[in-house]
């Protein structure tokens, strides 16, 4: 470090020897011959100076000599304003022994002056002036050179010149005289040197920015910002903004107040670099707190400093930057003392930049005269600082790498020792785990990305999967999957390893239950990840759940049989009506009518949970043509079920013959009728008596339908409450019973189509309500089915009719909602886009409208979008069974219990 400083001091001495001509000790006129054709002449003490702190003097009076008593010979090489303000007047003379007029260049090397005006006499001995400086940017264009310079005319004999300087802030004044040719050469060399030093800074900026991106290092990132801000600061110091910006007012700001703001920005970034470079968070925690305070102050000054006066802001900037620079030097020495070797480079870097500032300050105070120091300021120090910091950062990387290598070597040594110890423990525990896995009921195996079995499956897998289990074999082949199952399985496995979805989601797509031969196997999948978190394999836990499946099926069958026995009268009526429906299917030729019968039969089969029969009917519905063989297959399914459960149900496959139970009270009523006075006709009374016997409560038919619809709602994930009003009302004819059976279509439609899935998001109660109300009216029966779902979209109905009919839009607009629904139902309208076992054909509503028409009744549909729908059905009470014929007339062999 001492050697480096000694070399730098030698460089300064060389500059002092060759940078300019020596100054004169006393003030007198300068001879034109003293101005060298190759070098500049520093005016120094060859001038008279008046620092006027009072009211601004009138130039005419100064030029006339009115203030001559205030002028004093300069005692300093560079007159200074310090941190004051006001004006300076400088007076000097040039004597020419030539017989012709000559010209010289007056150069002011401090670029940051508000206003510089040079007064000289012209050929007619009249005073003329040239004015430059930051504050005159809008009056005259900036000088093409980076510092103010003026062309002075030198006439034969003595020539007087006055320089008038005005400033609102700190400034120094270095004045030099040049021959024109020498000055042009000086400008060229100046540009080369300035460009070279800025080039070095920009190269350092790019280099550190590249390292910041490569290493993703915050230290390099902050240092890159530091260099970029330093480059901007040096542009202001060197007075280059007028040459770079087309807007003079912007250049003026950047060279004055902007310079101070940049100073705080550089200071802030320097503190950030120091914090990370010196590892203060771990090495120097107190220093870390101190630097965070410095950063906070810098941020505040960046925000509020613009509101301070220039002098105050300038003093604050100088003091604060000086404090921060000293703190940086001290911190780097502390870090080096604690064993952090790269800190010495950090110290050297900041020593040079702080040293260049100190030399600059000493030059301004006139301690020694080095012209180029004034000309280039702290730019050389900034370049050297950048180079040293690049070395410091490189050394920091090497230091941290060596430190990490040492830690890694130690960790490897420790790891090898631990591995040796752990291998023994692992071997013992692996044997224990293998013994456990081989003796549990569940099997464990893994598959790779190709869905092949990997090595290491447990012994139980052999018992569950047989001799076909081999390493490298496709698990789908071992599980005896058919072609369709295998395609789905392979697709699901690929999806798991593609990692496009969350692991738990993709694993959930794998089949959970597989039927292999006569056994049911449950497969629970889990992902096995490697150290990098990537999926390596899938672990399956395999269990034989055949007994469980059998128990579940047996339980389902028992529940179904209990439900049927609970509604045995309705079930026997369903079987009888199904028998009649099969006879109708055999003679019907219209496929549409056949499908309507099948659709109703399917719905009633699901009411009694006859899913196999319902699925067969559903497949038959899908056919373009229904053959007698299809009808026979459905009959055989009914017969098979009834034969299997004949002992329990006591129901045969035969036409429906209603049975009626007579209570003791009803028998007594009949005896009283017979013993009564024969004056009144007995026939009508017996008819009324038989009518009461044959009457059937609505609940006997509706309750199984409600139970089935409740299960349907649960399966769809919908929470629905069903309400039945007046369920004890008696049905008085077979057509009324049929109407009650057809309520399944309205209830199912309400559950599947009408009730929304996300009701709470729509501001509705989570639990939906579907009500069914029966009542007498005049001479008929009224049925009201109402829900609080999403309602019916009239526009959707109209669009459906426009597509399948030739009805005009104006005709549709004139129709009621009921008419639209009825007209749509004639073609099998449904809001479902796909046909399923539950819904999708739209023939249920068509059949309901047809039945009501046949009974001479009416249907009224009311609906509000988003509120719900309401069907009101009114049918006249037709001739009852007792009115049509006595119950024993066609069924003489049937008993009356």
């Amino acid at each position: 470090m001492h050697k480096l400083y000694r070399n730098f001091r030698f460089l300064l001495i060389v500059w002092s020897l060759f940078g300019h001509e020596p100054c004169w000790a006393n003030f007198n006129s300068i001879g034109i011959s003293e101005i060298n054709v190759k070098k500049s002449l520093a005016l120094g003490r060859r001038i008279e100076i008046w620092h006027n702190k009072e009211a601004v003097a009138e130039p005419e009076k100064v030029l006339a000599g009115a203030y001559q008593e205030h002028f004093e010979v300069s005692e300093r090489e560079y007159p200074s304003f310090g941190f004051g303000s006001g004006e300076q007047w400088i007076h000097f003379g040039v004597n020419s022994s030539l017989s012709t007029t000559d010209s010289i260049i007056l150069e002011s090397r401090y670029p940051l002056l508000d206003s510089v005006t040079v007064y000289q006499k012209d050929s007619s001995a009249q005073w003329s002036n040239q004015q430059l400086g930051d504050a005159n940017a809008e009056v005259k264009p900036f000088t093409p050179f980076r510092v103010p310079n003026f062309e002075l005319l030198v006439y034969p004999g003595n020539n007087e010149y006055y320089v008038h300087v005005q400033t609102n802030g700190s400034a120094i004044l270095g004045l030099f005289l040049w021959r024109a040719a020498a000055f042009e050469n000086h400008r060229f060399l100046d540009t080369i040197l300035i460009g070279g030093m800025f080039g070095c800074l920009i190269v350092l900026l790019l280099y550190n920015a590249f390292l910041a991106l490569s290493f993703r290092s915050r230290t390099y990132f902050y240092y890159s910002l530091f260099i970029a801000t330093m480059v901007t600061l040096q542009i202001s110091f060197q007075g280059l903004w007028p040459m770079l910006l087309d807007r003079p007012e912007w250049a003026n700001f950047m060279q004055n107040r902007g310079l101070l703001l940049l100073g705080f920005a550089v200071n802030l970034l320097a503190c950030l670099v120091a914090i990370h470079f010196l590892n203060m968070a771990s090495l120097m925690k107190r220093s870390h707190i101190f630097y965070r305070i410095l950063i906070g102050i810098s941020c505040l000054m960046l925000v509020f400093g613009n509101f301070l006066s220039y002098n105050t802001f300038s003093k604050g900037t100088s003091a604060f930057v000086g404090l921060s620079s000293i703190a940086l030097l001290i911190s780097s020495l502390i870090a080096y003392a604690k064993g952090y070797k790269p800190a010495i480079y950090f110290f050297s870097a900041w020593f040079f930049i702080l040293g260049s500032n100190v030399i600059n300050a000493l030059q301004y105070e006139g301690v020694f005269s080095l012209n180029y120091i004034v000309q280039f300021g702290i730019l050389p120090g900034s370049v050297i600082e950048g180079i040293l910091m690049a070395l410091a950062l490189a050394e920091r990387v090497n230091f941290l790498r060596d430190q990490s290598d040492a830690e890694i070597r130690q960790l490897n040594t420790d790891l090898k020792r631990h591995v040796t110890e752990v291998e023994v423990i692992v071997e013992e525990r692996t044997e224990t785990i293998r013994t456990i896995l081989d003796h549990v009921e569940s099997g464990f195996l893994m598959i790779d990305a190709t869905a092949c079995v990997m090595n290491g499956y447990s012994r139980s897998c052999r018992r569950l999967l047989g001799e076909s289990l081999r390493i490298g074999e496709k698990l789908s082949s071992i599980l005896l999957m058919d072609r369709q199952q295998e395609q789905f399985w392979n697709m699901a496995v690929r999806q798991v390893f593609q990692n496009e979805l969350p692991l738990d989601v993709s694993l959930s797509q794998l089949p959970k239950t597989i039927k292999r031969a006569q056994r049911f196997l449950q497969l629970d999948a889990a992902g096995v990840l490697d150290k990098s978190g990537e999926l390596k394999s899938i672990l399956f836990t395999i269990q034989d759940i055949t007994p469980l499946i059998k128990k579940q099926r047996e339980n389902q069958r028992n529940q179904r049989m209990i439900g049927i026995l609970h509604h045995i009268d309705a079930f026997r009526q369903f079987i009888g009506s199904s028998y009649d429906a099969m006879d109708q299917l055999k003679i019907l030729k219209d496929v549409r009518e056949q499908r309507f019968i099948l659709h109703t039969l399917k719905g009633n089969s699901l009411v009694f949970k006859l899913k196999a029969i319902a699925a067969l009917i559903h497949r038959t519905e899908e056919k373009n043509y229904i053959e007698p063989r299809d009808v026979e297959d459905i009959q055989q399914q009914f017969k098979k079920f009834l034969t299997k459960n004949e002992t329990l149900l006591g129901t045969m496959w035969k036409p429906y013959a209603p049975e009626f139970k007579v209570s003791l009270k009803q028998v007594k009523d009949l005896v009283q009728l017979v013993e009564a006075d024969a004056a009144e006709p007995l026939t009508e009374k017996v008819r009324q008596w038989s009518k009461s016997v044959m009457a059937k409560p609505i609940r006997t038919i509706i309750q199984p339908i409600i139970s089935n619809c409740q299960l349907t709602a649960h399966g769809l994930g919908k929470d629905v409450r069903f309400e039945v009003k007046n369920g004890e009302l008696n049905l008085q004819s077979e057509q009324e019973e049929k109407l009650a059976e057809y309520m399944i279509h309205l209830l199912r439609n309400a559950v599947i189509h009408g009730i929304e899935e996300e009701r709470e998001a729509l501001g509705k109660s989570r639990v939906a309500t579907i009500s069914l109300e029966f009542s007498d009216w005049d001479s008929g029966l009224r049925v009201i089915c109402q829900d609080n779902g999403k309602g019916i979209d009239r526009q959707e109905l109209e669009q459906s009719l426009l597509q399948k009919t030739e009805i005009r839009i104006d005709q549709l607009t004139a129709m009621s909602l009921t008419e639209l629904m009825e007209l749509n139902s004639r073609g099998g309208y449904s809001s479902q886009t796909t046909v399923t076992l539950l819904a999708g054909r739209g023939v249920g509503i068509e059949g309901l409208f047809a039945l009501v028409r046949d009974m001479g009744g009416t249907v009224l549909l009311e609906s509000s979008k988003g509120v719900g729908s309401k069907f009101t059905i009114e049918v006249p009470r037709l001739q009852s069974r007792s009115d049509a014929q006595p119950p024993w007339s066609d069924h003489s062999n049937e008993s009356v219990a």
Side-chain angles (χ1 to χ4, degrees), residues 735-748:
Q735 284 183 302
E736 288 183 2
E737 292 177 8
K738 193 171 185 180
L739 177 63
E741 292 176 356
Y742 274 30
M743 288 301 103
I744 189 173
H745 299 303
L746 284 183
L747 295 176
R748 277 181 174 274

Side-chain angles (χ1 to χ4, degrees), residues 508-711:
S508 66
Q509 305 302 315
L510 294 169
K512 296 293 188 297
T513 304
I514 298 292
K515 184 177 181 182
R516 185 180 185 276
Q518 300 302 316
R519 304 169 75 180
F520 289 92
L521 302 178
Q522 178 176 303
L523 278 66
D524 295 318
V528 180
L529 307 180
D530 58 18
K531 294 181 179 179
S532 63
E534 295 294 326
L535 183 66
K536 181 174 66 175
S537 58
I538 302 175
L539 171 65
F540 285 98
T541 304
I542 305 175
Q543 293 177 304
D544 185 354
I545 59 171
T546 305
L548 177 62
I549 294 294
K550 289 182 178 179
K551 290 290 184 182
Q552 289 177 343
R553 291 183 175 180
E554 183 179 349
N555 182 60
Q556 291 174 356
R557 177 180 175 276
N558 292 338
Q559 291 295 326
R560 179 179 60 193
M561 299 309 295
I562 291 172
I564 292 174
L565 290 172
H566 188 66
H567 304 287
I568 189 63
D569 290 338
F571 176 75
R572 286 172 180 169
Q573 181 177 340
F574 159 67
I575 293 297
S577 61
S578 299
Y579 184 93
D580 296 338
M582 292 296 101
D583 287 344
Q584 282 184 282
L585 285 173
K586 292 175 182 178
I587 60 176
L588 285 174
K589 301 300 181 183
D590 188 336
V591 176
R592 186 65 191 169
E593 293 183 10
Q594 289 178 321
R595 284 180 176 163
F596 168 69
I597 293 175
L598 288 172
H599 189 73
T600 303
L601 188 58
K602 178 179 72 175
N604 289 327
S605 298
L606 289 172
V607 168
F608 293 101
K609 301 180 182 178
L610 303 180
K611 293 183 179 179
I613 296 176
L616 176 60
I617 296 172
H618 180 71
R619 292 194 296 272
T620 306
E621 279 186 281
E622 294 289 317
K623 294 186 176 182
N624 295 326
Y625 177 72
I626 301 172
E627 300 178 355
R629 183 180 59 189
D630 299 322
V631 178
E632 185 62 31
D633 289 342
I634 297 173
Q635 287 189 113
Q636 289 302 320
Q637 282 285 347
F638 273 110
K639 291 178 181 179
K640 181 179 178 181
F641 175 77
L642 293 173
T643 302
K644 182 178 179 180
N645 300 285
E646 180 181 4
T647 303
L648 184 62
L649 300 178
T651 304
M652 301 298 294
W653 180 250
K654 61 182 180 179
Y656 175 61
E659 296 181 356
F660 308 105
K661 295 181 179 180
V662 180
S663 65
L664 177 60
K665 180 180 180 303
Q666 289 172 327
V667 173
K668 290 181 179 180
D669 290 342
L670 180 60
V671 172
Q672 290 176 359
L673 288 174
V674 173
E675 294 177 349
D677 187 358
E680 294 185 11
L682 184 60
T683 305
E684 179 61 28
K685 292 183 178 181
V686 173
R687 189 185 304 276
Q688 292 298 326
W689 178 84
S690 64
K691 182 177 179 180
S692 67
V693 171
M694 295 167 59
K696 181 179 295 184
I698 291 173
R699 59 174 173 77
T700 60
I701 295 176
I702 290 299
Q703 195 56 49
I705 294 175
I706 294 293
S707 299
N708 177 259
C709 290
Q710 188 73 65
L711 290 174

Side-chain angles (χ1 to χ4, degrees), residues 685-895:
K685 292 183 178 181
V686 173
R687 189 185 304 276
Q688 292 298 326
W689 178 84
S690 64
K691 182 177 179 180
S692 67
V693 171
M694 295 167 59
K696 181 179 295 184
I698 291 173
R699 59 174 173 77
T700 60
I701 295 176
I702 290 299
Q703 195 56 49
I705 294 175
I706 294 293
S707 299
N708 177 259
C709 290
Q710 188 73 65
L711 290 174
T712 301
H714 181 73
L716 294 173
K718 298 180 180 181
D719 201 344
V720 182
R721 182 179 69 252
F722 290 88
E723 296 177 354
V724 179
K725 300 178 182 178
N726 297 332
E728 297 300 324
L729 188 68
N730 288 329
L731 299 172
Q732 297 181 2
S733 68
E734 294 178 3
Q735 284 183 302
E736 288 183 2
E737 292 177 8
K738 193 171 185 180
L739 177 63
E741 292 176 356
Y742 274 30
M743 288 301 103
I744 189 173
H745 299 303
L746 284 183
L747 295 176
R748 277 181 174 274
N749 278 352
V751 170
I752 298 170
H753 307 304
I755 303 304
E756 307 93 333
E757 293 182 356
E758 300 292 339
R759 290 173 57 85
E760 289 179 305
L762 301 173
K764 294 185 174 184
S765 169
R766 179 177 57 83
V767 181
T769 302
I770 300 176
S771 64
L772 197 59
E773 180 179 358
F774 297 88
S775 61
D776 287 313
W777 67 280
D778 296 340
S779 60
L781 174 67
R782 177 184 289 122
V783 183
I784 298 176
C785 182
Q786 187 171 3
D787 67 75
N788 61 351
K790 62 184 177 182
I792 296 173
D793 191 337
R794 179 187 178 96
Q795 187 176 4
E796 187 177 313
L797 293 176
E798 292 176 352
Q799 288 296 327
S800 174
L801 283 170
L802 286 173
Q803 292 174 5
K804 67 182 182 179
T805 66
E806 297 181 357
I807 299 178
R808 300 190 309 273
I809 186 64
D810 58 329
Q811 293 175 310
L812 294 176
T813 305
M815 291 182 182
S816 66
L817 187 60
T818 308
E819 291 171 323
L820 287 175
M821 178 59 77
E822 182 177 8
L823 191 58
N824 254 305
S825 70
R826 293 177 186 175
Y829 169 78
S830 174
S831 60
Q832 290 283 95
T833 56
T834 57
V835 178
T836 65
L837 189 63
L838 297 178
R841 292 199 170 276
V843 297
I845 297 297
E846 179 184 11
L848 178 63
F849 273 103
L851 176 63
V852 174
R853 282 197 304 270
D854 291 343
M855 295 178 69
T858 61
V859 178
L860 175 63
L861 170 59
E862 302 171 85
S863 182
S864 296
K865 193 172 181 179
V867 178
S869 302
K870 177 181 179 182
F871 281 86
T872 303
I873 302 170
E874 294 180 344
V875 294
R877 291 226 151 169
L878 304 179
Q879 189 180 40
S880 66
R881 294 187 183 90
S882 59
D883 293 332
Q885 55 187 359
W888 49 82
S889 60
D890 289 337
H891 309 284
S892 56
N893 294 329
E894 299 294 334
S895 62

Side-chain angles (χ1 to χ4, degrees), residues 106-124:
L106 174 64
E107 175 197 7
S108 170
R109 290 203 175 159
Y110 188 75
L112 307 179
L113 292 174
D114 294 338
S115 177
V116 182
T117 306
V118 173
Y119 295 89
Q120 64 177 330
K121 290 182 179 181
D122 56 20
S123 58
S124 60

Side-chain angles (χ1 to χ4, degrees), residues 138-176:
E138 297 181 3
V139 178
K140 285 187 176 182
F142 283 179
T143 175
F145 190 46
R146 64 188 185 90
V147 294
N149 59 87
F150 306 86
E151 182 180 5
L152 304 181
L153 295 176
V154 181
Y155 300 101
N158 290 320
N159 296 268
E160 280 189 287
Y161 304 93
Y162 282 91
V163 180
H164 182 208
V165 180
Q166 291 178 297
T167 181
N168 289 320
S170 60
I172 61 165
L173 191 63
L175 298 177
F176 299 86

Side-chain angles (χ1 to χ4, degrees), residues 44-45 47 49 72-77 366:
R45 296 182 176 87
I47 61 175
I49 185 169
E72 297 178 356
V73 176
S74 174
E75 296 179 354
R76 304 174 63 174
E77 295 292 345

